[in-house]
Amino acid sequence: MALTASTMLPLGTKAPDFNLPEVVSGKATSLSTFADKKALLVMFICRHCPFVKHVQKELVQLGKDYFTSDLAIVAISANDAKNYPDDAPESLQAFATELGFNFTLCYDESQETAKAYTAACTPDFFVFDSDGSANAKGERQLVYRGQLDDSRPSNGKPVTGADLRAAIEAVLAGKPVTSEQKPSVGCNIKWKPGNQPSYFG
């Protein structure tokens, strides 16, 4: 495990599109799947990472708390399943079922979606706004990237989701998100041999 921080993709970046299978239903999922929602939370997670395990109950709670809101949530796992079988699609399906995820969980086998988002660690969070008044084309723009909150597996601080929730609430209320954002920290995404992006390491 290599302790890794978010790349902190520039705010205002357009959300990269993707086409990935959802691990429970097998249905193809893309940005257009969530077109009817004002905001989109993209989370890069996996099953085996201790940093994800540390916050997984809060991820479930986020799904419950915002289920009827104007926020869409999609989680993506991009780890090399050959070397990390806990993160293979079948295992991810069990993971989603056991925890009761009510949001979409996709598997990025090629790891190209993770690269497009410059995802670096698990967990890694990205919030996009689609406010038509700010963008006539209705394209999603990055307004938050960084940590869930200040809690880490060994620091004794409670898992609250405070940082991410504040960003979500601001977007849903039509208010600006503070640009003072702390990077997420976790295990590095497990890139396939020879497939590491230029920003890794």
Side-chain angles (χ1 to χ4, degrees), residues 26 28-29 31 67 80 83 112 122 131 174 187 197:
T29 304
L31 284 183
F67 186 67
D80 175 12
N83 289 307
E112 291 306 308
T122 52
D131 187 347
C187 303

Side-chain angles (χ1 to χ4, degrees), residues 2 8 23 32 49 56 63 72 85 94 98 101 109 111 116 149 153 158 166 180-181 184 190 196:
M8 303 303 275
V23 298
S32 63
C49 172
Q56 63 188 19
E98 290 166 8
F101 286 168
E109 183 176 8
Q111 303 185 318
D149 55 36
E180 295 181 10
Q181 302 174 8
S184 185
K190 307 310 182 193
Q196 297 91 338

Side-chain angles (χ1 to χ4, degrees), residues 140-163:
R140 296 192 181 276
Q141 295 188 356
L142 184 66
V143 293
Y144 181 83
R145 74 284 191 252
Q147 67 176 15
L148 180 73
D149 55 36
D150 288 328
S151 183
R152 303 290 183 266
S154 59
N155 69 7
K157 295 183 179 180
V159 178
T160 63
D163 293 52

Side-chain angles (χ1 to χ4, degrees), residues 158-190:
V159 178
T160 63
D163 293 52
L164 182 59
R165 285 175 178 270
I168 292 169
E169 290 295 330
V171 173
L172 295 180
K175 297 178 180 179
V177 178
T178 178
S179 60
E180 295 181 10
Q181 302 174 8
K182 300 176 184 178
S184 185
V185 175
C187 303
N188 64 290
I189 287 179
K190 307 310 182 193

Side-chain angles (χ1 to χ4, degrees), residues 122-145:
T122 52
D124 213 349
F125 302 95
F126 301 82
V127 178
F128 295 88
D129 193 358
S130 60
D131 187 347
S133 64
N135 188 327
K137 294 181 180 179
E139 296 173 324
R140 296 192 181 276
Q141 295 188 356
L142 184 66
V143 293
Y144 181 83
R145 74 284 191 252

